[in-house]
Amino acid sequence: MPTPYLVLARKYRPQRFSDLTGQEHVVRTLTNALQSGRVAHAFLFTGPRGCGKTTTARILARALNCEKGPTPEPCGQCGPCVEIAQGNDVDVQEIDAASNNGVDDVRSLREAAKYLPARDRYKIYIVDEVHMLSGPAFNALLKTLEEPPGHIKFLLATTDPQKLPATILSRVQRHNFQLVPLGKIVTRLREIAQAEGVAVSDGALALVGQQAQGSMRDALSLLDQLFAAHAPGGEIGEEEAAQALGALDRGIVAGIVSAVLRRDAGAALQGIVRAYESGADFKRLADELAAHARNLVLATLPEVRQELPDHELRGLAETARGHDPAQLARVFELLQDAEEDVAKAATPRHALEVALLRAVHLAPSGSLPELVEKVDRAFAKLGGERVAPPAGARLQREVASSARTAAIAEPPVPNGAPPPVAEREPNGAPQSLEDRWRTLISAVKAARKMSQAAALEKGVPLRIVPGTVAVGFKSPNDALALEDVDSRRGVEAAFAGVMGSAVKLVIEKLPAEAAATSLAEEKERAKGERKGRRLQQGREHPAVRAAVEVLGGEIEDVRDLGEE
Ligand SMILES: [Zn+2]
């Protein structure tokens, strides 16, 4: 017995291209190809589930095999037309790659492809969810696609074209199916309701359409569900539809978000009570609240067109007008976060209530100076002193450019370059190899040979003995600046100045996995450590914590003033 939900979808399955809803661009291309007689031997239909890919493949099969064809208008009467619609035409085979990985089907397909069609014009293979084919099945399919016999057509469909090998993609004519727009779904639902003799209000049809989220197949299943729950006679209204489909009353959702925007915690929580009494699932409610907040944000952007019924669009625009766009965006963000919290929570209702209270109390309203004022107040409450003016000014600038980065002042850190030898060791030569190496590099810098000094910093000192300085490099590229004779002489002269006699610079290749670290690597590591320390200090700084509380977001980076 077929499931009752498929009844309408089967009964009203499109039989002709002109019956397809919302895929006009695909229909146009296919119709033109059929009229001009230039039909590819392999098609790939991609797009979300339930938007008509397989249905289109069946119509195309009829168009190709109709006794009066090939024609964009198959007759619907002849043997091929009737049998393809019933799914039992000997020359049209449907393979569902999702059910058995299709490898045997595709192998037998290769065998069968050698023979001419039994009756029809073409042998047609419709492969649904083709991305689910196993590797060997892909190879078998590819072999047939490489040298397609003239009597074979492939109609491939997938929701996930990224998973297809490029070798397949390059051999098919691709058509992208789209989610069906709400308006078109509602129009089609209205036609079907009329044909079925059931009165359904526009609000109820819109609700069904919204729940279907662009899938015509889902829309028809939901309409089935609605009809099944309806006692004969009378019109199906929005409330009845909401109950039958387990949908949330839009009024409750809109009411809660409005209460949050008005900062009315009582009304927001009262909305939760109403939702609970109407049997709402809190996870679903959280999703709907975030979706509604998003719609409000979009309503402030005139260039964005929303697929919603007119009366809803008007309501959204009216609500959005009364609020600062920044506040709307912040509430959207908080409710979006709430979706996740509620999904993970042991008591979803409490998680949702906490999220709403956060949104009521924390979502900012007002201008940037007001926000900075608020940060200062929050900071004072935490027991800190008022932020010093330069840091405050800095904070304001940072907030203006990006609310995700905050900066605090920190005493300048020495930049790591070694001081001149004389300052360091007034009474004698430095002892360790590393210290002597630093001294030598300082001398090269003092001689203004900066690129050579930078190259030496990437090397590892191996030997510093009278007459010879040997340096190892893991990557030969790092030593490029030391290769020409002039560079070397300059470096050797600087070394000689420190060591008191002529020196030869020897460059050696080190294995890449050598444990020794160069000065440059050492500096890089120290910099990373400093940065981690600063980030930690920044996160713990009371002023920063106050700012995060008020503005939301997190501390991603801390920079020195003047470091840009
Ligand atoms: Zn026909």
Side-chain angles (χ1 to χ4, degrees):
M1 198 183 101
T3 63
Y5 298 153
L6 275 176
V7 173
L8 285 178
R10 267 199 197 144
K11 190 165 170 188
Y12 292 95
R13 171 173 290 154
Q15 302 295 339
R16 300 180 313 167
F17 285 123
S18 53
D19 295 339
L20 280 167
T21 305
Q23 312 299 344
E24 287 75 10
H25 56 294
V26 175
V27 167
R28 204 175 312 122
T29 319
L30 293 178
T31 304
N32 289 344
L34 285 161
Q35 268 163 355
S36 66
R38 282 193 298 271
V39 180
H41 68 270
F43 293 83
L44 176 65
F45 297 156
T46 68
R49 50 178 290 279
C51 60
K53 299 183 298 294
T54 318
T55 301
T56 304
R58 290 199 192 109
I59 299 176
L60 180 56
R62 293 172 94 187
L64 288 166
N65 277 354
C66 174
E67 282 174 4
K68 309 226 166 71
T71 165
E73 289 289 339
C75 74
Q77 314 286 325
C78 67
C81 277
V82 171
E83 287 172 16
I84 291 170
Q86 290 168 348
N88 54 16
D89 186 304
V90 284
D91 290 317
V92 178
Q93 194 187 341
E94 286 197 31
I95 299 169
D96 181 6
S99 66
N100 56 5
N101 276 357
V103 66
D104 292 336
D105 280 343
V106 175
R107 269 195 200 127
S108 63
L109 170 161
R110 285 199 66 203
E111 275 305 301
K114 293 177 187 158
Y115 304 101
L116 290 174
R119 174 194 62 191
D120 296 355
R121 194 170 295 111
Y122 297 107
K123 275 193 177 215
I124 297 177
Y125 295 92
I126 299 175
V127 186
D128 205 8
E129 295 301 353
V130 63
H131 67 272
M132 306 275 279
L133 285 180
S134 61
F138 268 128
N139 289 336
L141 177 61
L142 191 61
K143 292 228 169 68
T144 321
L145 282 176
E146 271 167 351
E147 297 160 26
H151 60 275
I152 299 251
K153 299 282 181 197
F154 285 102
L155 313 183
L156 314 175
T158 180
T159 48
D160 208 348
Q162 283 87 352
K163 291 201 180 127
L164 290 178
T167 43
I168 300 263
L169 289 174
S170 65
R171 287 180 169 82
V172 297
Q173 188 183 88
R174 179 166 168 177
H175 296 268
N176 299 320
F177 286 62
Q178 286 156 2
L179 289 173
V180 184
L182 180 65
K184 290 191 171 157
I185 290 188
V186 170
T187 304
R188 181 74 183 136
L189 290 175
R190 191 178 291 120
E191 286 167 9
I192 291 175
Q194 270 162 12
E196 292 289 309
V198 183
V200 188
S201 79
D202 282 355
L205 289 175
L207 194 68
V208 173
Q210 279 163 7
Q211 301 261 310
Q213 298 188 350
S215 161
M216 200 66 216
R217 186 166 63 209
D218 287 358
L220 293 183
S221 296
L222 291 167
L223 195 62
D224 267 323
Q225 208 175 319
L226 193 55
F227 287 179
H230 180 62
E235 189 190 62
I236 302 179
E238 191 170 344
E239 211 184 310
E240 184 184 341
Q243 269 176 6
L245 303 179
L248 277 164
D249 187 337
R250 317 282 308 160
I252 294 182
V253 173
I256 292 176
V257 175
S258 289
V260 167
L261 290 168
R262 290 196 313 274
R263 303 176 171 287
D264 184 343
L269 294 195
Q270 191 53 38
I272 297 276
V273 173
R274 278 181 61 206
Y276 176 72
E277 282 168 353
S278 72
D281 165 54
F282 286 105
K283 167 86 181 66
R284 177 86 163 274
L285 178 58
D287 293 352
E288 296 275 330
L289 289 172
H292 188 76
R294 175 176 179 273
N295 289 343
L296 282 172
V297 170
L298 294 184
T300 64
L301 309 170
E303 57 276 61
V304 180
R305 249 193 74 236
Q306 296 197 71
E307 265 295 334
L308 289 173
D310 285 344
H311 68 276
E312 270 192 47
L313 283 178
R314 277 195 300 276
L316 287 169
E318 205 165 296
T319 308
R321 247 198 307 281
H323 297 280
D324 179 31
Q327 189 197 2
L328 292 173
R330 181 78 175 114
V331 166
F332 172 34
E333 189 192 340
L334 288 170
L335 291 177
Q336 185 68 33
D337 291 347
E339 247 187 281
E340 247 177 72
D341 295 346
V342 171
K344 283 187 296 204
T347 44
R349 177 176 177 167
H350 294 175
L352 188 54
E353 286 171 349
V354 167
L356 290 179
L357 290 173
R358 264 181 75 89
V360 164
H361 292 300
L362 291 183
S365 64
S367 63
L368 194 57
E370 281 169 18
L371 285 179
V372 172
E373 186 62 37
K374 260 191 177 170
V375 171
D376 283 349
R377 277 206 307 274
F379 179 39
K381 239 189 265 172
L382 283 169
E385 291 166 25
R386 201 196 171 287
V387 183
R394 172 68 177 181
L395 178 63
Q396 188 161 352
R397 271 213 315 283
E398 285 288 329
V399 167
S401 65
S402 143
R404 296 178 69 83
T405 307
I408 55 161
E410 192 193 284
V413 179
N415 67 6
V421 198
E423 275 175 34
R424 220 159 137 231
E425 292 280 339
N427 301 323
Q431 289 305 306
S432 79
L433 183 68
E434 277 69 34
D435 281 349
R436 284 150 72 207
W437 181 231
R438 281 176 201 276
T439 309
L440 289 175
I441 292 180
S442 299
V444 175
K445 281 182 184 164
R448 301 246 150 248
K449 309 239 166 262
M450 300 322 267
S451 59
Q452 286 78 14
L456 289 170
E457 283 188 340
K458 291 180 191 156
V460 179
L462 300 175
R463 287 184 308 283
I464 303 178
V465 294
T468 306
V469 172
V471 190
F473 286 89
K474 290 178 195 170
S475 157
N477 283 343
D478 288 343
L480 281 181
L482 303 168
E483 260 177 9
D484 69 291
V485 180
D486 282 349
S487 297
R488 247 169 219 264
R489 285 214 181 110
V491 170
E492 286 168 352
F495 285 178
V498 176
M499 296 174 71
S501 61
V503 179
K504 188 170 163 44
L505 174 63
V506 178
I507 292 182
E508 293 179 15
K509 169 97 178 74
L510 284 183
E513 64 279 7
T517 50
S518 68
L519 229 46
E521 285 166 336
E522 187 68 26
K523 272 187 184 174
E524 202 49 43
R525 196 184 53 74
K527 197 171 146 197
E529 270 179 14
R530 266 207 313 280
K531 187 164 180 146
R533 244 189 344 262
R534 270 190 315 195
L535 200 54
Q536 190 55 35
Q537 284 171 350
R539 288 198 175 116
E540 285 165 5
H541 195 288
V544 174
R545 275 170 45 207
V548 170
E549 269 297 298
V550 173
L551 300 172
E554 56 191 272
I555 306 304
E556 276 190 349
D557 191 15
V558 175
R559 288 184 216 155
D560 281 339
L561 294 176
E563 174 199 340
E564 215 51 66

